[in-house]
Every structure is written in C-alpha cells, then in structure tokens.
Amino acid sequence: MSALSKDDRTPIRPVVAAVGEGRPSRGKKFWFYGMLIFFALLYIYPFIIQLVTSFKTDPDATGNALSLTPDPFTTGAWETLFSSNYPTWFTNSVIVTLCVTLGRVFFCSLAGYALARLKFTGRIALFTGLLAVMAVPGIVLLIPKFLILNYVGIYNTYPALIVPLMIDAAGIFIMKQFFETIPESVEEAARIDGASTFRTFWSVVLPMAKPALITLTILSFQGSWNELGHFIVATNDPDLYTLTRGVAGFTTGGLGSGNQYPVAMAAALLMTIPTALVFIVFQRYFTQGANAGAEKG
Amino acid sequence: MRTRDPQRQQGAGWLFVSPAILVLGVFLVAPIGMALWVSLSDWSGSGSPISRDVNFIGTENYNALLADPGLARQDLMISFRNTFYYVLGVVPLQTILALSLAVLLNNRFLKGRTFFRTAFYFPSVVSSVAISLLFLFLFAGSGAINNVLGWFGVNGPNWFQDSRGLIHIFGDAVGLWSLAAPPSWMTEPSVMGLSFWEWFSGPSVALSAIMMQVIWTTAGTFMLLFLAGLQDLPVEVEEAAMVDGANKWQRFMNVTVPHLRPTILLVVTLGFIGTWQVFDQMYVMTQGGPAKTTLTPAYLSYQAAFTNGDWGQGAAIAFILFAIIFILTTTQRWLMRDKDVSAQKRADRGVRRRQRSRRTRAIVEETQRKAQSS
C-alpha cells in the first residue's frame, strides 16, 4: 500500500519521456495501482485469513470466515495441534529434509562435476541416460517406488524416506551446466600443484560454484519439505510420517469429529513458516530467472 | 604428473558418478522395470512380485482399461474426461494470469516491485498440502469465497460436494435441457462406456474449485518466466513503436507478444505436461469425489493399487499416463529445439541471452519436476 502514497516525480528513463509517453496520467495510474492492489489482495489475503482463523474457535471460523478479529480469541487450536502427532511429524520432516538436502548437494555436485569435466568412457551415454531419467514424471513412479522399497525390505524405515530422494537428475543437470562455465585454467593450476581429482574438485572448483550450490540447496530443501507422493508410498507408520503426509490425513478424518478449521489452518501455517523463512532470506536465488545479472558464472 | 594420466580420470569419473548411478538405478530404473512386469502380471500385492506364483498375463490389464467394456475402462475414461476439462481450463487461464502479472510488474513506473513479485510468487514455493487445506477452508460452504459471492447476491455452491458439470449447469440455465431429466439423445449413445451426457458435462463445480487453486498457485512460477522474457525486450524496440504512434494495446499485441512467443510456447507446453500429473490436490481434498468428478489418471492409478489392491491395473494406468506425458514432453522438446535454432540465428545479443536462458532453464527444469504438485 505504501507504494500508492509515494509520488512518481522522476521517471526512471527520462529518454522515454522525451519520446512522448511521459509520466502516466492520474487516471492510468489509478487503474494500474487498482489492478495491482486487487491482485496483491488476491494473493495475500488468503494467508491473512489463515493466520487469523488459527486463533478462532470452531463455530467462529465456520460462522465468520472472512472476519479478521477472532471472537473469542483462543489459542486452543495451537494447543490441540501441539498435543497431537504434529511435533513428531515436524521432527521427521526436519530430519528427512536435512539429510536429503545435504546428500543431494554433495552427490549431485560430484556427479555434475564428473559429467562436466572428467574424461571417462561412457560419459556421453551417462548424460543421455540422465536426460532420459529427467523426462520420467515423478507421479508415475509411485507404484514402482513402493514395489522396490518393499522388495529391498526398507519399507517403513528412515532410509526409505531419505535415500530415494537423495539423488535428483535435475540437480545433477544444474550442477553440470554450472561447472561448464568455470574456466578450465583454474583447475590446471591445482593440477600442476599435484592436487588429486577430488581435492581439485573439493577445494578449488566447489567454492567457485557457490551460486549454483545455494540454488541447489534451496531447490532440495523446498522439494523435500513439500514432497508428498514419495512419503505416501514409503511408509504407513504414523511415527515416520512427515508433515505433508500427516497433515494430509487431517482432511480425511484424522482430527476426529467436526471440520476443525482452526487446527487445520494452524497446521498449514506452521508448516509454511520454514519455507517462508528460506524464501525471504534467499529470495534472490528463488527468483533468479527474473533477476537478470544478479549472479554470474 | 600422475593426475594427467587418463587412467586416473577414468577411475575418478566413475567413482564420482557411482552414488548417482546406484540410487537412480535402484530407485528409478529398476522400479520402472518391476512395475512394467507387474502391469503384465496377475500379482495380487502379497509376497514378492518376482516369484513363481505370479503369472504373466500379457496385456490383460491394458485390455481391461482400454478395450473391454467394464468399470475399469469407464473409470479411466472418466479420469481422461476430467483431465481434458482441467487442462482446457487451467492451461490458458494460468498463462493469461501469469502474463498479466508479469506485464503489471514490468511497468517501469512501478514502486515496490520486489514486494509484489514476492507476493505473487510465494504460493509457488509453499507445500501443496498446506495450500490445499487453506483452499478447503476458503471454498467451504460458509467459507470466505461464498461470503464474497454473497456481497453480490450470489448464493455460492457447496464447492467440494457439488458434482454438477459446468456445461450441464449452463445448458440448464439457458433452457437447453433440464439437469434433473437429461434428454435421451444425450444419455442413450455411449462412447467408450460413457454417454454423451457424461462426456459433455464440463468440469464439475468441485473440479473448478481445484482448478482455481492450481491457477492461483502456478501463475507465480510462470510469471517469473514471462518477466525474464520481458526484460529481454530491448527498450529501443518499444520506443521505436512509440515513435511510430502505436498505442499501448497495439504495442502489447504487435511488439511484446511476438517477442514473448517462445516463452508463451514454453509456458503452455509446461502447463500441458504439469496438468496431466495432478495428484496432491486430489489426495488431500477430494479423493476423486464427488461422483468421481475429480478423478485424475494419477489418482486413479494410486487408488487402484493402494486402495483396491489391484496392482496390475494400477501399474498399467501409470504406464498409460507415462506414455501420454512422454508424448507431451517429446513434443515440447521438439518445439523448443526449433526455437533454440532460430534463437541462435539472431545471436546478436549472444552472451546476455545465453546466460539468461541458462538461468531460465534451471527454473524450467524445476518447474517441470514440481508441476505435479503445484
């Protein structure tokens, strides 16, 4: 809203003004900001309702869905949430996300580096295979994954939740593309000093790949924190549920009687907060496609 | 110089890729093979699918789904019908919304661009489960949406319990037919197990609510692609059009849209691929109901295997879906390759363009992967 009160006295590109467009008229500006505020409300208001509803009582949430003042104000929903299995699910999500992210960043850079730089037989074939694997949509893998987890005998264990997510073909692809932009001369120097391949990779090349590593970290974090399908087929043990799996059960009677909207809103809000924090801190990397020139190889 | 020894890079190379090969091999390639076998077998879900008690039954599961009249084929056709209307609604609307948001944000007089961009993009990074819970509440019978509709004197439906098709409702409203007693010329003939009446239902009210949710969520991701494309548009071109006296709309249609053609193509094809994979929303919100109007192939496959214990059929549906998505992906790669070639021809702004397209591609790959959950 603060954007409205500010005055546009200095167009960013005076040259355009000279050409004839000039500053937008008052009416145009009104429409422009009107549209913008409409869309902003459309995108922000639902989250505000979510926050407010989590402090309402059940009848209040059902009866006054749009109201922004809980009447009466209660933390009952949050207490219900914390006395449920929710804390267990949260812990599981943290464990799984941490392991998956660390594993993915390490193994994907390792493989990406090999595909980008090391000369070994079968490299081209492997890369072709990688492209093929990337074309496999995750959703058709639900049944196959369940079959193999059962077959290997790790169904209902932490490794079942973590290991299959640890390698991501798209992650390898991103790292490979990035490593190819790093000049080879950098490695030459390390080689002349007699560093081993792994040492060159670890101490010389990897530190230069920081932007790609951050991007991959964020994608892995977000991907594993929000993953649902894999956790559905990897476990049916409530002690191993992650947030997505556990909270998804809320809608199918997991909360007992009634709709319990306040609890559902609290649950949804709390699982959004870690994503929101990471998003705000690393926004630049999320939106890198739009941020032309923000980072460079 | 030991390290220059080709033998040594040979070893290091394979060592570096071995964890990836192992995990992708065991949890991706092998399971696909195993599922292919299950789809051709009569495995009942107990014991190992690779044992002597399990019989090869050829394409029986596929026949039941695609050829033989029966419930299995009917359900698959219902899921195809639902997806058809879903794609028809979601792909154009999310593209238009994403483009509109990007054009709004690209206005050079805009203050607080980062704030608005964050707001529009944020839902794209939030878990689909959390968003689904939120929308269950917003679209509840006495929820926020129906409250707002109430301001305009509209009596909102009970969204997620309403299986009436939009085309049915429209025809009823204009007096073409009655919802309660559909005409016999529409209910009599049956194609692939469904009557014309069922085929031409349109998306149900419940499915429309999910469509609105998906459009709302994914528009942010595609908005970023459009923004990147818009920022690539040289100011000089627009200025030239301005000097020629083109008004804003003319400039948009004759300068901006042609410039964005590759991006539009990308967004539309990604939309096609993503919409066929929708699963999370159905799992969380409707479980395929009401009256199977939110059943999608992905959810049907899950339901057949995990709920009904019909593993062969579940796996067969997954492979049929795989084939459809594979065709879509191949078409997309073919179309985009065409674009890359023409882009290379006008490589006057080579370096800048290449860097940007690399960044864009990272988003694209990510979008492709998470399209299922968005």
Side-chain angles (χ1 to χ4, degrees), chain B residues 45-207:
Chain B
S46 58
S48 163
I50 312 170
S51 75
R52 220 157 278 158
D53 316 327
V54 181
N55 303 305
F56 177 77
I57 57 168
T59 57
E60 220 170 274
N61 286 317
Y62 292 92
N63 290 345
L65 287 164
L66 296 171
D68 309 338
L71 194 64
R73 189 180 73 165
Q74 200 184 25
D75 280 352
L76 186 66
M77 291 308 139
I78 289 176
S79 78
F80 281 168
R81 176 203 65 186
N82 296 340
T83 309
F84 173 76
Y85 290 118
Y86 181 86
V87 172
L88 206 65
V90 170
V91 173
L93 288 178
Q94 79 186 3
T95 308
I96 292 169
L97 179 59
L99 182 56
S100 314
L101 293 176
V103 168
L104 271 179
L105 287 188
N106 200 47
N107 188 305
R108 60 175 73 98
F109 295 102
L110 172 64
K111 302 267 173 98
R113 178 175 293 119
T114 314
F115 168 78
F116 289 108
R117 194 185 57 205
T118 309
F120 299 154
Y121 183 58
F122 184 62
S124 305
V125 301
V126 174
S127 143
S128 57
V129 174
I131 298 277
S132 295
L133 283 191
L134 175 58
F135 271 69
L136 273 178
F137 178 58
L138 294 178
F139 279 92
S142 60
I145 301 291
N146 281 355
N147 272 327
V148 173
L149 288 177
W151 297 345
F152 304 98
V154 179
N155 211 344
N158 218 333
W159 294 89
F160 291 111
Q161 274 83 50
D162 199 330
S163 63
R164 291 175 301 160
L166 290 191
I167 295 179
H168 286 175
I169 295 176
F170 179 77
D172 186 78
V174 299
L176 258 177
W177 51 62
S178 152
L179 255 179
S184 60
W185 59 269
M186 286 204 76
T187 52
E188 296 291 319
S190 138
V191 180
M192 294 296 276
L194 294 189
S195 66
F196 281 177
W197 178 251
E198 288 169 297
W199 277 116
F200 294 106
S201 64
S204 73
V205 175
L207 187 62

Side-chain angles (χ1 to χ4, degrees), chain A residues 7-8 12 42-43 62 119-121 134 139 146-147 168 188 222 226 251 275 283 290 292 295, chain B residues 3-4 9-10 14 43 108 111 118 125 127 133 136 142 216 231 279 284 311 356 359 365 369 372:
Chain A
D7 201 338
D8 276 335
I12 299 165
L42 193 68
Y43 272 85
T62 315
K119 312 216 163 18
F120 61 98
T121 337
M134 272 169 59
I139 203 68
F146 170 79
L147 294 174
D168 170 51
E188 288 300 314
Q222 191 211 345
N226 293 343
T251 54
T275 326
Q283 225 218 103
E295 85 217 42
Chain B
T3 45
R4 286 198 177 238
Q9 280 213 330
Q10 197 76 271
W14 279 99
W43 185 59
R108 60 175 73 98
K111 302 267 173 98
T118 309
V125 301
S127 143
L133 283 191
L136 273 178
S142 60
W216 182 81
Q231 286 172 358
F279 170 82
V284 178
W311 291 90
R356 191 159 299 141
R359 269 186 229 108
E365 301 296 346
R369 242 161 23 93
Q372 55 168 48

Side-chain angles (χ1 to χ4, degrees), chain A residues 3 6-8 11-13 15-16 19 21-22 24 32-33 35-36 39-40 42-44 46-47 49-50 53 61-62 65-66 104 107 110-111 113-114 118-121 126 131 133-149 151 154 163-164 167-168 170 172-173 181 188 191 195-198 201 219 222 226 228 232-233 244-245 247-248 251-252 261 264-265 268 271-272 275-276 279 283 286-293 295-296, chain B residues 1 3-4 8-10 12-14 16-17 19-21 23-24 26-28 30-32 34-35 38 43 48 50 97 101 104 107-111 114-127 129-131 133-134 136-138 140 142-144 147-148 151 215-216 219 224 227-228 231 235 239 242-243 248 251 277 279-280 283-284 287 298 301-302 305-306 311 314-315 318 321-322 325 329 333 355-356 358-359 361 363 365-366 369-370 372:
Chain A
K6 284 183 187 162
D7 201 338
D8 276 335
I12 299 165
R13 293 174 200 278
V15 59
V16 176
V19 169
E21 175 86 333
F32 172 68
Y33 278 105
M35 290 270 284
L36 205 61
F39 280 119
L42 193 68
Y43 272 85
I44 296 168
F47 291 107
I49 291 183
Q50 187 179 34
T53 304
T62 315
L66 267 182
R104 230 187 239 189
F107 291 123
L110 211 55
Y113 178 71
L118 303 182
K119 312 216 163 18
F120 61 98
T121 337
L126 279 179
L131 290 180
V133 160
M134 272 169 59
V136 178
I139 203 68
V140 305
L141 287 172
L142 289 185
I143 296 174
K145 269 187 186 167
F146 170 79
L147 294 174
I148 204 79
L149 290 173
Y151 189 74
I154 57 170
V163 179
I167 303 287
D168 170 51
I172 299 177
F173 185 80
T181 67
E188 288 300 314
R191 287 221 188 100
S196 71
T197 311
F198 184 77
F201 162 73
L219 292 181
Q222 191 211 345
N226 293 343
L228 173 66
I232 291 176
V233 300
T244 45
R245 176 77 203 266
V247 171
T251 54
T252 46
Y261 286 125
M265 292 304 104
M271 69 193 282
T272 308
T275 326
F279 178 61
Q283 225 218 103
F286 272 94
T287 57
Q288 55 179 315
N291 268 345
E295 85 217 42
K296 224 179 140 210
Chain B
M1 284 259 163
T3 45
R4 286 198 177 238
R8 183 141 165 130
Q9 280 213 330
Q10 197 76 271
W14 279 99
F16 278 26
V17 293
I21 294 178
V23 172
L24 290 178
V26 172
F27 295 106
L28 207 137
I32 291 177
M34 205 165 181
V38 166
W43 185 59
S48 163
I50 312 170
L97 179 59
L101 293 176
L104 271 179
N107 188 305
R108 60 175 73 98
F109 295 102
L110 172 64
K111 302 267 173 98
T114 314
F115 168 78
F116 289 108
R117 194 185 57 205
T118 309
F120 299 154
Y121 183 58
F122 184 62
S124 305
V125 301
V126 174
S127 143
V129 174
I131 298 277
L133 283 191
L134 175 58
L136 273 178
F137 178 58
L138 294 178
S142 60
N147 272 327
V148 173
W151 297 345
I215 293 164
W216 182 81
L224 289 186
L227 265 178
Q231 286 172 358
V235 189
E239 277 167 11
M242 233 180 263
V243 174
K248 220 168 181 148
R251 287 205 308 269
Q277 303 182 38
F279 170 82
D280 290 12
Y283 180 85
V284 178
Q287 293 84 45
S301 155
Y302 165 82
F306 289 89
W311 291 90
L321 181 59
F322 193 0
I325 296 172
T329 313
R333 283 192 179 169
Q355 274 176 355
R356 191 159 299 141
R358 196 179 307 126
R359 269 186 229 108
R361 186 157 302 154
I363 297 189
E365 301 296 346
E366 180 55 18
R369 242 161 23 93
K370 72 171 194 183
Q372 55 168 48

Side-chain angles (χ1 to χ4, degrees), chain A:
Chain A
M1 296 275 189
S2 65
L4 244 193
S5 58
K6 284 183 187 162
D7 201 338
D8 276 335
R9 289 241 176 256
T10 41
I12 299 165
R13 293 174 200 278
V15 59
V16 176
V19 169
E21 175 86 333
R23 267 194 309 137
S25 70
R26 207 165 262 277
K28 268 185 191 160
K29 253 169 92 174
F30 177 79
W31 276 111
F32 172 68
Y33 278 105
M35 290 270 284
L36 205 61
I37 288 165
F38 168 76
F39 280 119
L41 278 179
L42 193 68
Y43 272 85
I44 296 168
Y45 206 74
F47 291 107
I48 297 174
I49 291 183
Q50 187 179 34
L51 174 68
V52 173
T53 304
S54 73
F55 292 104
K56 288 182 178 177
T57 59
D58 276 10
D60 187 28
T62 315
N64 311 302
L66 267 182
S67 142
L68 288 187
T69 43
D71 178 31
F73 181 92
T74 169
T75 54
W78 291 93
E79 283 155 28
T80 312
L81 194 65
F82 283 115
S83 60
S84 70
N85 280 330
Y86 197 85
T88 315
W89 303 337
F90 200 97
T91 317
N92 285 339
S93 273
V94 171
I95 295 171
V96 169
T97 304
L98 276 181
C99 295
V100 168
T101 306
L102 286 177
R104 230 187 239 189
V105 170
F106 180 66
F107 291 123
C108 289
S109 0
L110 211 55
Y113 178 71
L115 289 178
R117 276 287 192 271
L118 303 182
K119 312 216 163 18
F120 61 98
T121 337
R123 185 174 72 148
I124 312 264
L126 279 179
F127 184 63
T128 313
L130 188 76
L131 290 180
V133 160
M134 272 169 59
V136 178
I139 203 68
V140 305
L141 287 172
L142 289 185
I143 296 174
K145 269 187 186 167
F146 170 79
L147 294 174
I148 204 79
L149 290 173
N150 235 344
Y151 189 74
V152 179
I154 57 170
Y155 183 70
N156 267 341
T157 62
Y158 277 107
L161 301 179
I162 295 166
V163 179
L165 294 180
M166 213 133 84
I167 303 287
D168 170 51
I172 299 177
F173 185 80
I174 291 174
M175 292 315 293
K176 176 191 175 277
Q177 299 295 93
F178 192 88
F179 286 132
E180 277 171 354
T181 67
I182 296 178
E184 252 173 287
S185 53
V186 175
E187 289 152 81
E188 288 300 314
R191 287 221 188 100
I192 288 164
D193 289 347
S196 71
T197 311
F198 184 77
R199 177 126 199 111
T200 311
F201 162 73
W202 185 257
S203 322
V204 180
V205 184
L206 212 52
M208 293 185 73
K210 221 170 100 190
L213 288 176
I214 295 178
T215 303
L216 186 59
T217 307
I218 290 165
L219 292 181
S220 310
F221 164 82
Q222 191 211 345
S224 45
W225 186 264
N226 293 343
E227 173 70 37
L228 173 66
H230 176 68
F231 300 138
I232 291 176
V233 300
T235 178
N236 62 1
D237 176 357
D239 288 337
L240 289 178
Y241 280 6
T242 55
L243 278 174
T244 45
R245 176 77 203 266
V247 171
F250 276 8
T251 54
T252 46
L255 283 173
S257 60
N259 53 47
Q260 304 221 30
Y261 286 125
V263 184
M265 292 304 104
L269 183 64
L270 194 56
M271 69 193 282
T272 308
I273 288 174
T275 326
L277 289 179
V278 172
F279 178 61
I280 289 164
V281 174
F282 294 102
Q283 225 218 103
R284 186 158 87 88
Y285 293 92
F286 272 94
T287 57
Q288 55 179 315
N291 268 345
E295 85 217 42
K296 224 179 140 210

